[in-house]
Amino acid sequence: VRLMETGGGSVQPGGSLRLSCAASGFDYEAYCLAWLRQIPESGREESGRELVAYVDPDGHTRYTASAKGRFTASRDNAEHTLSLQMNNLRPEDTAMYYCARGQARVCSSQTSYYDFWGEGTQVTVSS
């Protein structure tokens, strides 16, 4: 299983970024995919992780409350990619963002459900 994120960077509040994830090494259409984020100070501990959005193989999505209306997650089953369009970014969106694969086709809001993660891409929002 390989997940590789691109597209992070530094922007001012109110700016936009688009994250992409290239997936390989598994049956892409058999798994839920998600974007998770980790705040910098907490390392890779369960308490510091947050599920930002997930997309099931049929394209159904769910977002964390703070992302609704600002972020749009999508997947391309033909290209094996996952994307996250982030608009109106806020300083509290600053985090390492990870693309992750769930354990099955069904999605979950539990971060522990996602057992394969990419290396992450840093998003920093500051003025």
Side-chain angles (χ1 to χ4, degrees):
V1 175
R2 186 178 184 201
L3 301 165
M4 186 169 68
E5 305 93 340
T6 56
S10 296
V11 295
Q12 294 185 340
S16 298
L17 283 172
R18 184 177 180 85
L19 306 183
S20 296
C21 172
S24 61
F26 62 98
D27 183 359
Y28 185 84
E29 294 187 50
Y31 292 92
C32 175
L33 296 174
W35 289 101
L36 297 96
R37 62 188 177 188
Q38 179 88 40
I39 61 173
E41 293 79 12
S42 68
R44 199 160 174 145
E45 302 165 354
E46 187 67 33
S47 61
R49 299 173 183 169
E50 177 185 35
L51 184 134
V52 178
Y54 64 59
V55 189
D56 76 10
D58 295 322
H60 300 118
T61 57
R62 184 172 179 176
Y63 300 89
T64 190
S66 65
K68 287 180 183 177
R70 299 187 300 126
F71 294 4
T72 302
S74 60
R75 62 189 285 168
D76 185 327
N77 288 341
E79 297 294 327
H80 293 193
T81 57
L82 178 72
S83 299
L84 184 69
Q85 176 66 42
M86 304 187 293
N87 298 326
N88 192 20
L89 283 159
R90 304 167 180 167
E92 55 264 38
D93 294 317
T94 295
M96 185 72 82
Y97 283 71
Y98 297 90
C99 170
R101 193 198 79 172
Q103 297 177 30
R105 184 180 179 88
V106 173
C107 293
S108 170
S109 296
Q110 299 296 317
T111 58
S112 59
Y113 179 73
Y114 298 88
D115 51 3
F116 286 96
W117 294 39
E119 292 298 312
T121 185
Q122 178 68 38
V123 171
T124 302
V125 185
S126 69
S127 55

